[in-house]
């Protein structure tokens, strides 16, 4: 399984609003990469470009040397799966029915599920710990349960490249660790290439060997956690004061947040009317 993702001098605008600029990024097969950056930095947009649902305004995105824009949609869907921050679910699907949609790129229009489809669905349910509520209505699940079901849907696709947008956002700490451990294991064992947008810097440090940092649409740091998660870089990206210490039992940094009022940094919340120095493009996150 090979999935070498490359962004070559990519710019992206929503209409006239520039979001990404001069983004060049190599994610070789088997990489496990975190994407960090403040709200509105362009992480979701970058992930959508990586799966081909958006096309660059300038430059191009390649998968194994082929321009993603020229790959037929079915072929793209067999190779790349995106786990979005949330997925609008219009019908009262059962968990299994929703996860089985991950097999759509493999189904013949006149044939139903085949044994390999059923196997992929059962496996995705099993490893995301969602098999035990496979027959429940998705709309009745908690946010965290639903997030694991959306991951199962993506895994049922059996992709080579897995893109995750805040995979731990609705999860309790046990499930945050379990999901990242699971994805790490899929990366190690099945060489699944992973690019994940993540806000929790300590989880990023703990699980990812490489962290790419977006700031207002540009990559401003790219390297191992110790090189990227410094007080200087974090201060410049988030405008927040932090102290970086050693993790007590892992060879990674640990980021301690400091209260803004006591350290001369921004005291207003992102998006607040009083927050005139907030350095985003404006607008909301996805
Ligand atoms: P967050 O951490 O809040 O999820 P992000 O880094 O993922 O943010 P994006 O969702 O990529 O950021 O958004 C980048 C910028 O593009 C933001 O200013 C956002 O308002 C804008 N944007 C996103 N989607 C659209 C859209 N469909 N139309 C216009 N502007 C958009």
């Amino acid at each position: 399984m090979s999935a070498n993702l490359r962004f070559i001098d990519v710019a992206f605008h929503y209409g006239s609003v520039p979001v990404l600029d001069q983004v060049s990024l190599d994610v070789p097969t088997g990489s496990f990469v975190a994407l960090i950056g403040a709200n509105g930095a362009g992480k979701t947009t970058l992930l959508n470009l990586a799966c081909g649902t958006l096309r660059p305004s300038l430059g191009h995105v390649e998968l194994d040397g082929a321009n993603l824009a020229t790959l037929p949609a079915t072929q793209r869907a067999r190779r790349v799966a995106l786990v979005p921050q949330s997925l609008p679910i219009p019908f009262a699907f059962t968990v299994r029915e929703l996860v089985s949609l991950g097999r759509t790129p493999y189904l013949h229009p006149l044939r139903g599920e085949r044994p390999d489809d059923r196997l992929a669905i059962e496996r995705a349910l099993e490893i995301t710990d969602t098999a035990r509520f496979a027959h429940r209505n998705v709309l009745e699940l908690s946010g965290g349960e639903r997030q694991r079901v959306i991951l199962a849907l993506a895994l049922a696709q059996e992709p080579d490249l897995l893109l995750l947008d805040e995979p731990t956002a609705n999860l309790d700490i046990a499930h945050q660790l379990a999901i990242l451990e699971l994805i790490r294991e899929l990366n190690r064992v099945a060489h699944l290439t992973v690019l994940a947008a993540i806000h929790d810097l300590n989880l990023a440090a703990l699980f990812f060997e490489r962290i790419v940092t977006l700031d207002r649409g540009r990559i401003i740091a790219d390297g191992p956690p110790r090189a990227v998660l410094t007080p200087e870089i974090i201060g410049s990206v988030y405008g927040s004061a932090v102290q970086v210490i050693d993790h007590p039992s892992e060879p990674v940094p640990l980021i301690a947040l400091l209260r803004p009022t006591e350290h001369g940094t921004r005291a207003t919340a992102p998006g607040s009317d009083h927050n005139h120095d907030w350095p985003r493009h404006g607008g909301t996150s996805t």
Side-chain angles (χ1 to χ4, degrees):
M1 134 184 328
S2 151
N4 195 335
L5 175 71
R6 269 187 99 193
F7 277 62
I8 301 160
D9 221 358
V10 168
F12 182 80
H13 311 161
Y14 286 108
S16 60
V17 181
V19 174
L20 294 177
D21 191 29
Q22 294 178 8
V23 171
S24 289
L25 175 68
D26 243 322
V27 181
T29 299
S31 308
F32 198 69
V33 181
L35 182 62
I36 65 166
N39 290 138
K43 301 178 297 298
T44 300
T45 304
L46 190 150
L47 294 177
N48 280 310
L49 287 160
C51 74
T53 50
L54 292 176
R55 293 196 176 176
S57 310
L58 287 173
H60 56 280
V61 180
E62 287 182 356
L63 188 64
D64 288 337
N67 189 336
L68 206 57
T70 65
L71 282 185
T74 310
Q75 214 175 315
R76 244 180 17 226
R78 288 182 182 187
R79 308 222 30 225
V80 185
L82 171 69
V83 179
Q85 281 180 15
S86 65
L87 186 68
I89 298 167
F91 304 110
F93 284 112
T94 66
V95 168
R96 195 196 183 283
E97 283 166 346
L98 187 68
V99 172
S100 70
L101 294 182
R103 299 306 293 169
T104 309
Y106 298 89
L107 293 181
H108 186 279
L110 301 179
R111 277 198 304 254
E113 278 174 14
R114 291 182 307 182
D116 52 342
D117 296 314
R118 279 191 283 280
L119 198 66
I121 295 163
E122 302 311 329
R123 188 164 172 269
L125 290 166
E126 208 58 57
I127 58 182
T128 52
D129 193 22
T130 52
R132 61 204 164 83
F133 45 80
H135 299 292
R136 280 184 62 193
N137 177 344
V138 177
L139 301 176
E140 291 170 4
L141 299 179
S142 75
E145 289 166 343
R146 204 182 293 186
Q147 197 153 356
R148 275 155 43 218
V149 172
I150 297 169
L151 176 63
L153 192 165
L155 294 179
Q157 245 173 284
E158 297 188 312
D160 305 327
L161 170 63
L162 182 65
L163 306 164
L164 301 135
D165 200 355
E166 284 298 323
T168 55
N170 290 314
L171 304 181
D172 63 48
I173 52 171
H175 279 106
Q176 287 179 15
L177 295 169
I179 283 284
L180 287 176
E181 193 57 48
L182 161 67
I183 299 165
R184 184 78 180 124
E185 199 57 21
L186 290 169
N187 163 260
R188 278 200 197 107
V189 174
H191 303 294
L192 183 66
T193 307
V194 175
L195 176 62
I198 190 156
H199 276 303
D200 188 318
L201 302 182
N202 284 318
L203 281 178
L206 197 55
F207 283 91
F208 292 85
E209 60 218 15
R210 178 178 164 201
I211 300 180
V212 173
T213 310
L214 263 187
D215 188 23
R216 285 164 284 181
R218 289 193 177 198
I219 294 175
I220 57 124
D222 181 351
R226 275 202 194 282
V228 171
L229 298 177
T230 64
E232 294 72 27
I233 292 175
I234 294 171
S236 109
V237 169
Y238 299 96
S240 304
V242 297
Q243 198 174 342
V244 179
I245 55 179
D246 285 334
H247 190 288
S249 59
E250 303 278 346
V252 299
L254 189 69
I255 290 89
L257 306 181
L258 304 176
R259 287 171 53 199
T261 45
E262 289 170 15
H263 296 274
T265 52
R266 177 185 299 125
T268 44
S272 149
D273 286 340
H274 307 294
N275 193 12
H276 298 301
D277 66 339
W278 184 249
R280 308 276 70 80
H281 302 293
T284 51
S285 61
T286 50

